[in-house]
Amino acid sequence: MTRNPALDALMADYELGTEIGHGSFGVVWAARHRQLGRQVAVKELKAVDEADRARFRREARLLAGLRHPHVVTVHDFREAGDVRALVMEALTGGTLEDRGRSLSVEDVIVVGLAAASALHHVHRNGLLHRDLKPANVMFDAEGVVRVTDFGVAGGPASTLDRTAADQTMAGTLVGTPAFASPEQCGVALGAAWPSPSAASDQYALAATLYASLTGDVPHDTSGGILALCNRKMTQAARPVSQLRPGLPTAIALVLDRALERVPADRFGTVEDFAAALAGAATTAFGADWTTRSSVALKDPTLLASVGVTSSAHTADPSPSVAPPGSPDRPGGRRRIGRGGVAIAGVVLGAVIVGGVLLAGRLPSTTAIDATTTSTAASDPGPMPQRWTVATGASVFSSPTVTGSPSSRRVVVGSDDGSVYAIDATSGAIAWTAHTGAPVRSSPVALHDDAVVVGSDDGRVRSISIADGSTRWTAPMGFEVVSSPRVAGGVVLIGADHLYALDASTGARRWVAQESGPIVSSPAVTGDIAVVGSEDHAVYGIDVGTGAVRWRLQTGAPVQSSPVIAGDRAIVGGADGNLYSIESETGTLRWSVDLGAPIKSSPAVAGDVVVVGNDAGSVTARRLSDGSEVWQAHTSDRIDSSPRVVGNRIVVGGNDHGVHVLDRTTGTKVATFRTGGPVLSSPAEVDGDVVVGSYDRHVYRLGVP
């Protein structure tokens, strides 16, 4: 590219060389200071209007105020007439995008720790990066990571002027679509999503590491920016293990969590994310894993936190960066690493302790002994294990039990893209039906000879119970996580809206266009379907026509599925409230704040309703007024929905446990420990329960 002569005049004391990079912002030139001999990079702005010029000045001020060993260093900023240039340190080691999958898993994790340390420093200064991606993670000649390109950085806590540069971004996507968070997409599309926050940078960092490990990005990018944004807002990211088989499960789970659609479902802070990565890598590779990385770390507090001892990772002699603070992010999940296991100021022993703490949350990579019932020392007693069946991937789907008493089958989906039918008595697999994409929707019996289920491939299928053959397929165009309900010859199921399909053919009857994206599963009472929505509402929808009969506004997305209790619909919200709503009119009868987001779906047990929440509590509340009957506690969040089995309540937990509680008092009666979080909800079969786990297994367990 031909260089503007005015740039040479502006940078007279620099010897400008060849072009080393370009983009929509302009061009980066190699350069050398004539007197000092220092090699630098000169970033020339390609300004179109005053908004561009203001943004460029802003980037210069931002970078000049950041002093961190993993943030690019700015030496100078110059401006004359229509020419503007930013002088930065020369980074000759290329970008993470250049290195791609040539890096080992250990290398990628070290890159993640360094970038997280840089982002934490940025966040402590009241800023957001907003455009992290592999091209903006660079290496110097020694292999040290530098986070670069703060051209669209900003944030609500920023003390910088809110200039026209920010104003021009309203209604547009700030960031790179493939790596931007769902909430950045939501702002661009004018949807009711949380504002971008530090959790958005965490998402982008996880997406960046995902690309380095898999060679692809978390969501399908076909169809343009609008289609991609809609996928991000309505569909879960593809699990990293799906594109990188063999990646240690502990690491995969950490990345998957940082890529959760809803910001509150990610780690509390980017340093929590880094602590989880470090702990997962220690679990997977041993305490000395960093010595096998060719990537250098320079943040002294980070070095201490992961116990680096290799001479290849020599700390910069510059003054130490002050240990970051550790307040919880308001509205976020409870931090992994609370009590000192965080990215800053942690010695090697604490990281190993962190690995143990994380092991309580992350799936074990050890094979499960199918003949042994596992219990923790603090558990009240064991649950008898009848059988366990391995699937090809994690099981989030909740099983359904169908068929005649003499030939009962358990039908369940798996993230390997398959639906499994398992003999309820023996545990033998009767058949496997393949969809080609994760199945997180839970199958429901359509009639005596078929089940219906959704899939991440955007289709709903009716599958024969006898042999697994497909009866019909209905394309939805969006990932289907919602579980179906069948009423009066109609299948009701959520995707981007609530749909009604003909139960015999799969033909579309209607679409409730006024409803938002739906992962909740509808409940049906009379001629009304009640369902929660991502647009912060609960809807009552006419089963015959799809018309919205009523809408109840909530304070956050509703992913919990309603349960009908008499003339009420009971449902939880991500705002932490449990709602009791008149199903006919949508009138709110009561709501109680349970103190943490609710994704678990309620179960009715006599005159009480039982539900779990993100604080790890299982609560029983009176149907009449929402007053508390009892509360039981686990060590991690509850996404699974409780099941009433006789005088017991059975529920899965992210603490790897399947817990049995006394229905009257909430006292723990028994616990079974699986090899991973249990997000699947139990189903009953002859007084036992069947349930899936993140450890890729389905279990049949006795209920004491």
Side-chain angles (χ1 to χ4, degrees):
M1 182 174 183
T2 303
R3 191 164 58 242
N4 182 355
L7 179 66
D8 288 279
L10 179 66
M11 309 301 296
D13 49 351
Y14 288 89
E15 180 182 334
L16 299 180
T18 59
E19 176 188 331
I20 57 176
H22 67 274
S24 59
F25 59 83
V27 185
V28 179
W29 305 94
R32 183 182 67 85
H33 194 283
R34 297 183 188 278
Q35 284 73 41
L36 300 178
R38 180 167 59 193
Q39 299 295 326
V40 296
V42 173
K43 180 177 180 179
E44 177 189 10
L45 171 67
K46 183 173 127 182
V48 174
D49 53 25
E50 182 54 35
D52 285 333
R53 289 186 281 273
R55 191 175 301 127
F56 198 54
R57 294 186 200 106
R58 189 163 174 269
E59 181 182 5
R61 294 199 305 271
L62 281 172
L63 286 172
L66 298 176
R67 289 288 183 267
H68 189 276
H70 292 296
V71 174
V72 64
T73 300
V74 169
H75 300 303
D76 196 4
F77 172 67
R78 299 189 180 188
E79 182 175 19
D82 291 332
V83 182
R84 287 152 190 85
L86 190 66
V87 182
M88 304 176 291
E89 66 176 312
L91 299 174
T92 59
T95 69
L96 186 58
E97 185 176 48
D98 299 330
R99 298 194 178 194
R101 292 191 64 185
S102 64
L103 296 175
S104 68
V105 175
E106 290 95 327
D107 286 341
V108 172
I109 300 304
V110 172
V111 168
L113 296 180
S117 177
L119 289 175
H120 181 68
H121 179 70
V122 170
H123 296 164
R124 288 181 69 218
N125 280 272
L127 303 170
L128 307 177
H129 188 286
R130 301 200 295 187
D131 193 24
L132 193 74
K133 56 187 175 182
N136 290 341
V137 178
M138 299 189 70
F139 300 87
D140 68 10
E142 298 177 354
V144 178
V145 171
R146 297 284 201 279
V147 173
T148 68
D149 203 343
F150 287 76
V152 297
S158 175
T159 57
L160 297 174
D161 296 336
R162 309 304 293 168
T163 64
D166 293 312
Q167 307 296 326
T168 62
M169 295 179 187
T172 63
L173 178 61
V174 178
T176 302
F179 299 93
S181 65
E183 56 270 25
Q184 287 170 275
C185 286
V187 169
L189 298 182
W193 272 78
S195 298
S197 65
S200 309
D201 283 347
Q202 180 189 146
Y203 181 100
L205 174 55
T208 294
L209 302 181
Y210 185 112
S212 298
L213 291 167
T214 68
D216 205 341
V217 290
H219 287 85
D220 174 17
T221 58
S222 62
I225 294 176
L226 182 60
L228 173 59
C229 274
N230 276 320
R231 287 189 199 102
K232 289 197 172 199
M233 293 166 63
T234 60
Q235 301 178 15
R238 293 176 290 186
V240 65
S241 59
Q242 182 178 318
L243 279 69
R244 180 69 184 262
L247 183 70
T249 306
I251 293 171
L253 183 57
V254 169
L255 290 174
D256 289 345
R257 179 171 175 184
L259 289 168
E260 288 279 4
R261 281 186 312 136
V262 178
D265 289 348
R266 299 170 205 154
F267 293 96
T269 65
V270 72
E271 64 170 343
D272 287 346
F273 175 37
L277 272 178
T282 299
T283 299
F285 302 126
D288 63 344
W289 67 274
T290 56
T291 63
R292 295 188 290 277
S293 172
S294 62
V295 179
L297 291 170
K298 292 283 186 171
D299 180 353
T301 56
L302 184 63
L303 291 168
S305 72
V306 297
V308 175
T309 57
S310 169
S311 60
H313 304 82
T314 304
D316 195 296
S318 59
S320 298
V321 177
S326 57
D328 289 348
R329 179 169 56 87
R333 284 257 170 88
R334 178 163 45 101
R335 294 181 56 192
I336 291 183
R338 186 190 293 270
V341 186
I343 192 63
V346 184
V347 296
L348 177 60
V351 169
I352 296 175
V353 172
V356 173
L357 290 175
L358 287 167
R361 298 168 178 263
L362 304 176
S364 169
T365 55
T366 305
I368 294 175
D369 183 348
T371 63
T372 303
T373 299
S374 172
T375 59
S378 60
D379 293 335
M383 297 176 69
Q385 179 176 292
R386 313 298 190 200
W387 47 253
T388 184
V389 174
T391 72
S394 302
V395 180
F396 295 99
S397 170
S398 300
T400 189
V401 179
T402 187
S404 65
S406 60
S407 59
R408 284 215 174 99
R409 286 182 173 170
V410 175
V411 185
V412 67
S414 169
D415 264 23
D416 65 2
S418 299
V419 178
Y420 291 83
I422 305 166
D423 184 281
T425 302
S426 67
I429 296 177
W431 51 257
T432 304
H434 302 286
T435 72
V439 180
R440 299 188 177 189
S441 170
S442 302
V444 169
L446 190 55
H447 15 73
D448 291 340
D449 61 349
V451 294
V452 62
V453 66
S455 170
D456 279 16
D457 68 352
R459 296 175 181 271
V460 178
R461 292 172 174 80
S462 173
I463 301 173
S464 167
I465 295 172
D467 58 12
S469 60
T470 300
R471 299 289 183 83
W472 53 255
T473 300
M476 310 297 285
F478 287 84
E479 173 194 52
V480 183
V481 178
S482 169
S483 300
R485 295 293 180 265
V486 181
V490 173
V491 174
L492 301 170
I493 193 164
D496 55 328
H497 304 289
L498 187 68
Y499 288 78
L501 309 174
D502 186 279
S504 299
T505 66
R508 188 174 296 178
R509 294 276 190 89
W510 50 256
V511 182
Q513 294 283 0
E514 293 180 48
S515 62
I518 292 171
V519 299
S520 169
S521 302
V524 179
T525 175
D527 61 351
I528 293 180
V530 182
V531 69
S533 173
E534 291 284 290
D535 67 359
H536 301 209
V538 181
Y539 288 90
I541 297 175
D542 190 288
V543 172
T545 66
V548 173
R549 301 261 286 267
W550 54 261
R551 180 183 189 274
L552 178 75
Q553 184 73 37
T554 66
V558 180
Q559 299 175 351
S560 168
S561 299
V563 62
I564 301 299
D567 63 349
R568 307 287 179 84
I570 314 295
V571 66
D575 58 4
N577 284 293
L578 185 66
Y579 296 90
S580 174
I581 308 165
E582 281 192 5
S583 53
E584 182 67 28
T585 65
T587 302
L588 179 65
R589 285 306 178 190
W590 54 257
S591 67
V592 290
D593 186 354
L594 300 187
I598 303 169
K599 299 180 187 67
S600 169
S601 300
V604 175
D607 62 349
V608 302
V609 59
V610 183
V611 71
N613 69 11
D614 274 15
S617 296
V618 182
T619 304
R621 297 276 171 163
R622 295 196 187 281
L623 284 170
S624 58
D625 58 9
S627 59
E628 183 174 307
V629 178
W630 52 256
Q631 188 171 154
H633 300 280
T634 69
S635 61
D636 205 344
R637 71 183 191 268
I638 303 289
D639 293 307
S640 171
S641 302
R643 169 69 63 171
V644 182
V645 182
N647 63 348
R648 306 299 192 203
I649 302 293
V650 185
V651 65
N654 274 48
D655 61 358
H656 301 201
V658 180
H659 302 282
V660 181
L661 311 174
D662 182 273
R663 173 174 160 176
T664 304
T665 65
T667 304
K668 286 187 183 179
V669 176
T671 295
F672 179 89
R673 296 287 171 180
T674 74
V678 182
L679 284 72
S680 170
S681 302
E684 183 183 1
V685 53
D686 299 330
D688 291 346
V689 291
V690 286
V691 66
S693 170
Y694 197 97
D695 68 7
R696 307 184 178 201
H697 287 69
V698 180
Y699 298 86
R700 177 171 174 171
L701 306 170
V703 179

